[in-house]
Each structure stands twice: as C-alpha cells, then as structure tokens.
Amino acid sequence: MAKTDRDQHQAAQAAGARPGALDRFFEITARGSNIKQEIRGGIVAFVAMAYIVVLNPLILGGSADVTEGTLDFAQLTAVTGLIAGLITILFGVVARLPFALAAGLGMNSFLAVSVVQEVTWAEAMGLVIINGVIIVVLGATGIRTAIFNAVPHALKIAITVGIGLFIAFIGFVNSGFVTRTPAGPPVQLGQNGSIGSLPTLVFVLALILIGILVARKIPGGILIGMVVATIAAIIIQAFAKLGTVGDPVNPDPLGWNLSAPEIPSQIVALPDFSLIGAFDLFGAFERIGVLAATMLVFTLVFTNFFDAMGTMTGLARSAGLQTSDGMFPRIRGAFIVEGLGAVAGGGASASSNTVFVDAAAGIAEGARTGLAACITGGLFLVSMFFAPLIGVIPMEAGAAALVVVGAMMVTQIREIDMSDFRTSLPVFLTMVTMPLTYSIANGIGVGFISWSLIHAMSKRGRDVHWLLWVVSAGFVLYFVRGPISAILGA
C-alpha cells in the first residue's frame, strides 16, 4: 500500500469514519485497502491480462475444424472481451476477491490443436459448456475439493508444467521457429536449420523483449512486448511486402503465419456478437461416439479444475486472504462463478474462461477485494470496440507471449520432489507426453496410469486413491478406442 493511501486509511480509522456502502459490501477497509487502491489494482491487472484479447482470437481463429470451418477473428475478439468482462465483474460481486477471469490459454490451445481435429467448432464449444456445468456442480456440492485431494500433489504440478511445455511448443511452431522436416528428425530449427524469415525474427525479438520486461516485473510486460513487436512487424511489412504461409493462392514459405500486419482502415468498430449461441451441445457425441466425447469432456474438466484451483490458491496467498486451512473467503461462490465462466465461454465460442495468474500484478499493486475485479472486468468490456486495431497483431507476436506464459507455468516444477522414482517417472511422462503428442489429454492419461501401476507394483498400492484407479481405467479405454471402435464396427 502506498504511504499516502496508508496514511488516509489510518486517519479514517482514527476519526472513526463509518465506511460507505461500497466499502462495506467489498470489505475494503476491513482488508486494509481503499477505493483508490482497488481502482489502481484493477487497472494494473487488466494491463497485465489484456494480451488475451489478442491471443485468444489468434489461437482459436488460426485452426480449422474437422469440416475446415473456422472462427472469425473480429467476432472472437468481441466475445473474448465480452465474456471476460462479464464473468470477472460477476466474480468480483459474488466472490468479492481481487481475481480476474478470461479465456484460459491451456484450454483454448487444447481446443484449437486437438479437439477440433475430431469435431466442429460448434460441437467443441458444446463440450466446453458441458464441462462448465460439471464444474458448477462440483463447486456447488463440495465434490471439487474431494476430487482435488484424491490426485497426488506431484501429478497436479506435473500437469501444469506439461501444459506450459505444450503451450511453449505451440508458440515455437506458430512462429516458424520450429518447423517440420521433409525427412529425418520430426522437427527442425526454422527453415533448413536456420532462422531465415523476417516474421520469425520478429518472434525472437518479441520473445527477448517480453522476457526482459517480465523479468524486471514491469506490469503489462507481455502486452508491451506484443505492441512493440507489432509496430516492428508493420514497418517490416511496409517495406518487405511479405505474403502468408497459408495463402491458398500464393503461399509464401518465408511469410507471416496467419495474416500480414498492416494498418487497418479503421480503429474502432461496433463489436460483432454473431458467435453467441453458435454451439452444438451434443453434436460431438454423435460425431465421434460417446466414449471419445466423454474423455474429451473429462480432459476439459480436469484441466479447468486444477488450473483454477491452483491459481486461486496462489492468488489468495499473495493477497494475504488465505486462511490457516489453505482455503479463502467465499470459496464455494468462487468455484461456482469460475464454472459459469466455462459455460458462458462455450456459449459464446470464446473458450472456457478461468482465473488468470496474471491478476497477481493487480494484487501486487494493492488490490484486495472484488472491486478491483469489477474495474478489470469493465476495461475488458471496453476492449470489445477495438477489434480492427487488435487484428493488426501478427501471430508471431502472440507466439512469443505463448512461450513466455509456458515458461511461467514450467517454473512450478520446483515444487516436485523428484528423489523417488515412483514419483519422478510418472511426473516426467506427464510433462513430456503433452508437447510430444500435441495433446493435454494424452499427458494426463499417461501420468495417471503410470502413477497407479508403478505404485501398485512397488507395494505402494494403498497410496493410490480409488478415484485415480477409476480415471486410469477410463484412460486405458480412451487410448485403445480406435481398435475397440474397429472391433465393434466389425
């Protein structure tokens, strides 16, 4: 808390001033804060998180589904800001905590590179809604805590680390820093083993700049780095006149990944909400079968579940709001609203919205209550009107942010004790399987199965919770669903 804010707070207490209705509702004075501090914290949290308004459309809009259908970038920008704004405000009012929600990077990447290879975007968003309903039920009934306690701590951390590696790998691929080889190793550096394109150079510069800003703990460092990289990309494009890699008519192998960064004809535009309601709730079950669709829902639930639980716990601790038993105020309401974020995100094709660890920037600035979350949410709503300007940012700039966010997630590996091989092998398999198979689901499944079997075969079976055995059995069926489907089809 700044000195002037602290002095004002102490003076008010000494004078016996009665807190106003807003203060009492959010418990601002009770938590040692004030309205100015909450507003400042809310603004800083938005600046730290605003990159998702760019990154989410880049990720979701950059992948075609099983029928070659795609999502419109401008429409994605509108619904990304809308859902993040509404859910964050709802969270601030209900949970009254200084957390902010937006489209989760792990979830949207999973949808873009895995789920829509099997189903349409509308069907994928239907699965996201089902995932959200389950999360709401788990939160409302208290089952969420019980399930959380059933999974070993090491595996929980390994899943987060694996998702970080997965996201970073996606960033490397989207930037052209890593490419396929015609023969030999599966991947290579750049073009023929070297960085040979200007767009990939933009990625490298953006990665270095964002890394420096984040290391120096500059609020909004990711956003600043992306803006600077975009300006550099616009200048490069003005002179180089590069094409795009995926151009169906004249593909440019040394061009931009998704779209060329050029100054738009307009900066402000009315948001297009056409994606709201563009979902198919049960279509995936018809297209790929009940078993495969159920396993996808499980993966969404599990990813949503542990990412949010860990993030909320960490943010509550950093804000000094965690109780002695590890919980935090209004935890049930927080879980329910977080689940509603998935429902709303799926219903608007914005992907599941979850708590962002980047909100820690606002907490570091002094945010302690839900008022800060309401400020952050309001700024997200304003961002909807700047879709044309946001569309200028190239995939290469967003890819650099992905790598940095992945690095942030990987740092949690320090919490795992790798001295026991019964722990280290399942943890290792979980982490490496995700990027190597381009699937979060595969990493979770391999981790659960290996953990259960290794502990059982080394006379530690009693340490494996029965829920873990049930889930592992489900993953075994998931991994062999191809032969099973072939046998049943025959």
Side-chain angles (χ1 to χ4, degrees), residues 5-17:
D5 292 335
R6 187 187 302 112
D7 292 342
Q8 291 172 2
H9 171 63
Q10 292 175 345
Q13 286 186 321

Side-chain angles (χ1 to χ4, degrees), residues 59-400:
I59 293 173
L60 297 181
S63 296
D65 63 23
V66 69
T67 64
E68 298 301 319
T70 58
L71 299 178
D72 180 77
F73 184 91
Q75 294 173 353
L76 282 171
T77 302
V79 295
T80 297
L82 175 67
I83 301 304
L86 294 179
I87 292 298
T88 298
I89 292 173
L90 180 63
F91 189 92
V93 172
V94 174
R96 303 177 200 175
L97 296 167
F99 306 167
L101 292 80
L105 286 174
M107 189 72 74
N108 56 17
S109 298
F110 176 50
L111 292 174
V113 303
S114 297
V115 178
V116 296
Q117 303 306 309
E118 301 182 58
V119 300
T120 67
W121 274 113
E123 293 163 351
M125 293 304 168
L127 295 177
V128 172
I129 292 175
I130 294 173
N131 148 71
V133 172
I134 294 173
I135 291 293
V136 170
V137 172
L138 293 176
T141 60
I143 297 175
R144 189 169 189 177
T145 303
I147 296 177
F148 179 79
N149 291 332
V151 180
H153 177 71
L155 278 186
K156 297 172 187 173
I157 303 301
I159 290 168
T160 300
V161 173
I163 293 173
L165 292 173
F166 181 47
I167 289 175
F169 189 55
I170 292 172
F172 284 131
V173 172
N174 288 348
S175 67
F177 190 83
V178 170
T179 60
R180 296 183 178 90
T181 60
V187 294
Q188 64 178 344
L189 174 67
Q191 299 291 332
N192 300 318
S194 64
I195 305 300
S197 73
L198 290 173
T200 302
L201 180 60
V202 170
F203 159 79
V204 173
L205 295 176
L207 178 60
I208 293 172
L209 176 58
I210 294 174
I212 292 172
L213 293 174
V214 171
R216 296 186 63 179
K217 299 182 180 180
I218 304 298
I222 293 177
L223 180 63
I224 294 171
M226 292 177 68
V227 171
V228 172
T230 299
I231 294 173
I234 292 173
I235 296 173
I236 289 173
Q237 179 61 17
F239 290 96
K241 303 296 183 183
L242 300 174
T244 59
V245 176
D247 191 319
V249 180
N250 297 306
D252 183 355
L254 299 180
W256 305 97
N257 186 305
L258 186 61
S259 60
E262 298 174 334
I263 298 176
S265 58
Q266 58 180 353
I267 295 177
V268 179
L270 292 176
D272 184 348
F273 298 125
S274 299
L275 286 177
I276 295 178
F279 62 88
D280 185 341
L281 195 58
F282 299 109
F285 292 85
E286 297 178 4
R287 183 179 297 275
I288 62 176
V290 174
L291 177 61
T294 299
M295 292 311 299
L296 288 176
V297 170
F298 166 76
T299 303
L300 293 172
V301 170
F302 196 87
T303 303
N304 216 144
F305 181 97
F306 288 110
D307 180 63
M309 177 73 77
T311 301
M312 287 188 192
T313 301
L315 292 178
R317 185 185 301 116
S318 64
L321 299 175
Q322 195 174 58
T323 58
S324 58
D325 58 358
M327 296 293 104
F328 48 85
R330 298 181 179 85
I331 186 170
R332 181 166 295 188
F335 286 159
I336 292 174
V337 175
E338 195 270 333
L340 291 175
V343 175
S349 295
S351 183
S352 177
N353 275 230
T354 188
V355 177
F356 258 53
V357 71
D358 304 70
I363 292 174
E365 193 67 24
R368 293 294 179 271
T369 77
L371 177 58
C374 292
I375 298 298
T376 304
L379 292 174
F380 268 119
L381 294 180
V382 173
S383 73
M384 296 186 299
F385 297 92
F386 295 91
L389 183 62
I390 292 173
V392 176
I393 299 179
M395 175 70 83
E396 288 73 12

Side-chain angles (χ1 to χ4, degrees), residues 438-455:
Y438 237 56
S439 170
I440 296 173
N442 291 345
I444 294 175
V446 169
F448 278 18
I449 294 171
S450 60
W451 180 282
S452 301
L453 291 178
I454 290 174
H455 278 73

Side-chain angles (χ1 to χ4, degrees), residues 403-450:
V403 175
V404 171
V405 173
M408 292 176 177
M409 298 176 73
V410 168
T411 59
Q412 295 191 37
I413 195 173
R414 66 182 181 273
E415 298 184 23
I416 304 176
D417 181 4
M418 303 288 278
S419 61
D420 187 343
F421 200 66
R422 282 183 293 251
T423 296
S424 60
L425 181 59
V427 161
F428 173 76
L429 292 175
T430 299
M431 294 187 297
V432 301
T433 299
M434 290 184 189
L436 293 181
T437 65
Y438 237 56
S439 170
I440 296 173
N442 291 345
I444 294 175
V446 169
F448 278 18
I449 294 171
S450 60

